[in-house]
Amino acid sequence: MLSKIVKKAFALALTGTMLIGCLTGCGQSSGGGSDTTATNGTDKQTTQEAGTSAPASSGEIQKVRYVTPGNDWADQDYVLEQVNKKLLEDGMDLEVELIRIPWDAWDQKTNLMLSTGEEFELIHVMQDLKAASVLRSQNAIIPINEYVDKYPHLKEVMKNFWGDFTVNGEILAVPVASTNNISKDYGRIYYQQEMFDKAGCEIPTTIDEVIDTALQMQAMVEEETGKKVYCWPHQLSSVPDWMHRTYDNAPFTVENTLGLVKIDQDGNVTSWYESEEFKKDCEVYKKMYDAGLLHPDILTLDHEFQAGEGNNGRFLFGFDTYTYPATETGLRNNTGNTLADFTLNPELGNYKFFSIFNGNAVPSSCKNPEAGIKFLDWLYSSEENYRLFTYGIEGRNYNVIDENTAEFIKGPDGRETYKYDEWQMGLIDYKLFEEGISEKCLEVETQPMEGKITVSPIIGFAFDQTPVANEIANLQTEVITSIYPIKFGLVDYDSNIDTALSNLKAAGLDKVVEEYSRQFKEFLGK
């Protein structure tokens, strides 16, 4: 039975998609950079006046085929027609085409496109699913330094974030600076205020109280509806920082793509899956799984199922992803419920452990690498350009309400007729939030981190996976098949960890940890 679960989990987990918003989608994750405030340091007027400094037009229309995860919008063709018309009016000689790939096919399809040399100009990169350095080690993407240098405005807009996608001097992607909520999700636990209050709950202060509170809410919901709802991690690869806040040696950082290494505040790198802290994680999730707080099919559920659970309020607690706008809006529109959150051990304060992790890269198969960079420079050169591509046509796809908010027009299916995913290409300086956004959510998204802040030594470090590319590829498979069943409590830790570690070591774990440690010491100047 377990082997069947693992096989299906492997096929699904490679898509790297579990939930949207608080429970789903890709939030921010690890990387580096000298400043994690998502702003270019200029106001909107200054940014718009800067304009684009594109090199002279060749006169020939250049395609910008942009490969991204997700589904098409009803009005997408018309909006892109207007975008391309505006590009020509601006002398850009560019024609944008969106190639949207459904989440459940993303990994398989993009792997095929990159490996067969299919031609396109931009691809979205999510560092927590497959880092830009991995794609570079596979010769799937190219460095873009020479093209970025041609566009000083783009270079300035992203000046605080190039380090997040720079490895050994090579810029591997244009960062996405769509939010100021970066690192604010450390250990956050999300819940629905109405469900919480109706069950008579109080804010938990320990892991055991989190479990007891979840059981209390679950029992109430099951009694009223006859259905069970569950707690959800952001995705299978997510590190349970909500637990880690309570550990004696907190804070520390766990590399967030495969979870192979732990980095403490002194800069020591050790094997995460061989640590006592990982054992504690497994014991907690085992307790939750056995109590029925984690879905029995957690390793095999697809993206659409979990997205539906999150957007329709069918969850007890959601762990570790701070994307308030999407979740808050979904809950309010679909259920009328209010999103709330808390952390265990609040005295620990904030922990800044990453900067930007979403970016857009140029594939090696691209015959005109400058086209995509030229388009991004145009996109970020003015609020008008940004809103056209991101929100569509004012009056048709959206209506501006005030400086920060808008009404986004929906079709008969309840989905926006057009509203591009800003976590894939957004810029906080131009961002509009949905009408009715709470003051708290707006503050989370737009204001820099405040209060007590501990900074991880990993900030600014980008691991070059090239020397261990084969081992990383092997470990991607092995972590899913050997570790995830233990991590989420389908099997117990003590009876299975030795075999799992043996498999990881055979796949190259020790070599990866050693290489990571070597590079990190070099980064720290040790």
Side-chain angles (χ1 to χ4, degrees):
M1 177 67 177
L2 181 59
S3 63
K4 292 181 179 178
I5 292 174
V6 168
K7 287 178 181 177
K8 189 174 180 184
F10 174 66
L12 291 170
L14 280 179
T15 68
T17 56
M18 297 300 292
L19 289 171
I20 292 178
C22 165
L23 308 175
T24 67
C26 292
Q28 303 298 326
S29 191
S30 93
S34 58
D35 185 338
T36 58
T37 301
T39 176
N40 60 22
T42 62
D43 59 24
K44 290 185 180 181
Q45 184 62 32
T46 303
T47 304
Q48 287 172 243
E49 289 175 353
T52 180
S53 54
S57 167
S58 66
E60 181 181 348
I61 298 298
Q62 305 167 72
K63 285 187 174 294
V64 180
R65 289 159 289 195
Y66 178 33
V67 176
T68 72
N71 298 308
D72 291 343
W73 294 271
D75 213 21
Q76 179 173 307
D77 289 345
Y78 180 78
V79 171
L80 289 183
E81 181 182 325
Q82 303 311 305
V83 169
N84 289 327
K85 182 178 179 180
K86 178 69 163 55
L87 282 165
L88 289 176
E89 290 174 354
D90 292 347
M92 290 295 101
D93 293 339
L94 299 174
E95 183 178 278
V96 179
E97 175 188 346
L98 288 178
I99 302 175
R100 302 278 286 176
I101 299 176
W103 275 106
D104 57 1
W106 171 257
D107 195 74
Q108 182 180 10
K109 177 64 175 175
T110 54
N111 282 343
L112 183 63
M113 294 173 74
L114 291 167
S115 63
T116 59
E118 184 171 336
E119 191 177 350
F120 53 97
E121 285 67 41
L122 284 175
I123 184 168
H124 189 70
V125 176
M126 295 161 279
Q127 297 271 62
D128 64 336
L129 301 185
K130 183 173 287 187
S133 60
V134 174
L135 293 171
R136 177 63 178 140
S137 71
Q138 298 170 341
N139 292 318
I141 61 175
I142 63 171
I144 57 175
N145 304 56
E146 65 175 291
Y147 309 109
V148 170
D149 285 343
K150 293 182 180 181
Y151 298 91
H153 176 253
L154 176 63
K155 198 169 186 177
E156 174 67 17
V157 168
M158 298 298 174
K159 65 181 180 182
N160 293 327
F161 306 107
W162 292 114
D164 297 291
F165 284 94
T166 301
V167 179
N168 293 332
E170 292 185 339
I171 300 174
L172 302 181
V174 176
V176 177
S178 62
T179 178
N180 274 328
N181 70 17
I182 301 164
S183 276
K184 292 179 182 176
D185 62 346
Y186 179 71
R188 291 276 167 183
I189 301 175
Y190 304 90
Y191 63 97
Q192 300 169 81
Q193 190 67 59
E194 289 76 9
M195 180 190 293
F196 193 81
D197 292 342
K198 192 172 185 179
C201 299
E202 297 182 358
I203 297 296
T205 60
T206 67
I207 291 174
D208 284 340
E209 288 180 6
V210 169
I211 294 173
D212 292 341
T213 303
L215 287 169
Q216 188 175 338
M217 289 191 291
Q218 188 184 59
M220 180 202 72
V221 173
E222 190 169 11
E223 182 178 349
E224 290 189 349
T225 67
K227 297 179 180 180
K228 271 196 173 185
V229 290
Y230 302 92
C231 298
W232 296 103
H234 172 43
Q235 54 190 22
L236 295 182
S237 62
S238 296
V239 177
D241 293 321
W242 69 275
M243 299 185 208
H244 297 173
R245 291 185 64 97
T246 70
Y247 295 173
D248 291 340
N249 57 342
F252 54 84
T253 305
V254 178
E255 175 271 328
N256 75 325
T257 53
L258 295 177
L260 300 176
V261 299
K262 167 192 165 188
I263 305 96
D264 65 24
Q265 285 302 101
D266 293 325
N268 298 308
V269 176
T270 53
S271 173
W272 171 242
Y273 294 125
E274 298 177 79
S275 71
E276 284 299 310
E277 292 83 8
F278 176 67
K279 181 178 180 180
K280 289 181 184 179
D281 293 354
C282 296
E283 290 170 347
V284 171
Y285 273 146
K286 176 65 174 169
K287 186 175 181 179
M288 294 179 70
Y289 186 86
D290 289 347
L293 291 175
L294 298 181
H295 197 287
D297 299 323
I298 187 170
L299 297 188
T300 61
L301 293 170
D302 62 20
H303 166 71
E304 285 78 11
F305 176 85
Q306 296 196 36
E309 297 296 279
N311 288 333
N312 289 288
R314 293 188 291 265
F315 68 95
L316 303 170
F317 287 127
F319 301 125
D320 295 326
T321 297
Y322 210 104
T323 50
Y324 253 114
T327 308
E328 182 182 69
T329 300
L331 283 176
R332 183 182 66 246
N333 292 344
N334 295 330
T335 71
N337 287 351
T338 306
L339 183 67
D341 69 89
F342 66 95
T343 63
L344 301 178
N345 188 19
E347 294 78 14
L348 184 66
N350 294 304
Y351 185 48
K352 188 177 291 187
F353 61 104
F354 64 80
S355 183
I356 300 289
F357 92 146
N358 288 88
N360 292 295
V362 176
S364 301
S365 60
C366 179
K367 294 180 180 178
N368 184 12
E370 189 177 336
I373 308 305
K374 185 177 181 180
F375 168 70
L376 294 176
D377 180 70
W378 174 87
L379 177 69
Y380 299 134
S381 69
S382 76
E383 185 178 89
E384 179 185 7
N385 294 345
Y386 179 87
R387 288 188 176 180
L388 176 60
F389 177 80
T390 308
Y391 307 128
I393 315 303
E394 187 171 2
R396 177 182 174 119
N397 306 112
Y398 74 102
N399 293 306
V400 174
I401 295 174
D402 57 34
E403 182 181 5
N404 295 311
T405 63
E407 171 202 12
F408 296 101
I409 298 170
K410 296 178 173 60
D413 60 355
R415 187 174 182 235
E416 291 88 355
T417 56
Y418 182 87
K419 184 177 181 292
Y420 196 80
D421 304 302
E422 286 182 274
W423 60 268
Q424 294 180 15
M425 203 187 271
L427 184 65
I428 189 64
D429 291 349
Y430 299 149
K431 191 170 184 178
L432 290 173
F433 298 91
E434 185 150 354
E435 179 184 15
I437 185 173
S438 69
E439 288 298 319
K440 178 179 179 180
C441 180
L442 196 59
E443 180 180 343
V444 165
E445 284 289 307
T446 61
Q447 299 303 309
M449 184 184 292
E450 297 178 343
K452 181 182 177 182
I453 302 172
T454 303
V455 179
S456 170
I458 200 173
I459 292 292
F461 174 70
F463 179 50
D464 179 10
Q465 301 187 9
T466 306
V468 287
N470 291 335
E471 288 77 11
I472 291 290
N474 293 335
L475 286 164
Q476 282 182 315
T477 302
E478 203 55 60
V479 166
I480 293 168
T481 56
S482 294
I483 291 295
Y484 285 176
I486 303 172
K487 177 179 177 179
F488 290 103
L490 278 72
V491 300
D492 72 278
Y493 177 93
D494 290 332
S495 301
N496 294 277
I497 191 61
D498 288 344
T499 299
L501 289 176
S502 177
N503 292 340
L504 292 182
K505 288 177 181 293
L509 175 63
D510 291 340
K511 184 176 179 180
V512 172
V513 174
E514 181 181 353
E515 179 61 24
Y516 196 106
S517 180
R518 183 193 68 77
Q519 291 186 30
F520 194 62
K521 286 179 180 178
E522 186 177 288
F523 166 74
L524 295 176
K526 291 186 176 181

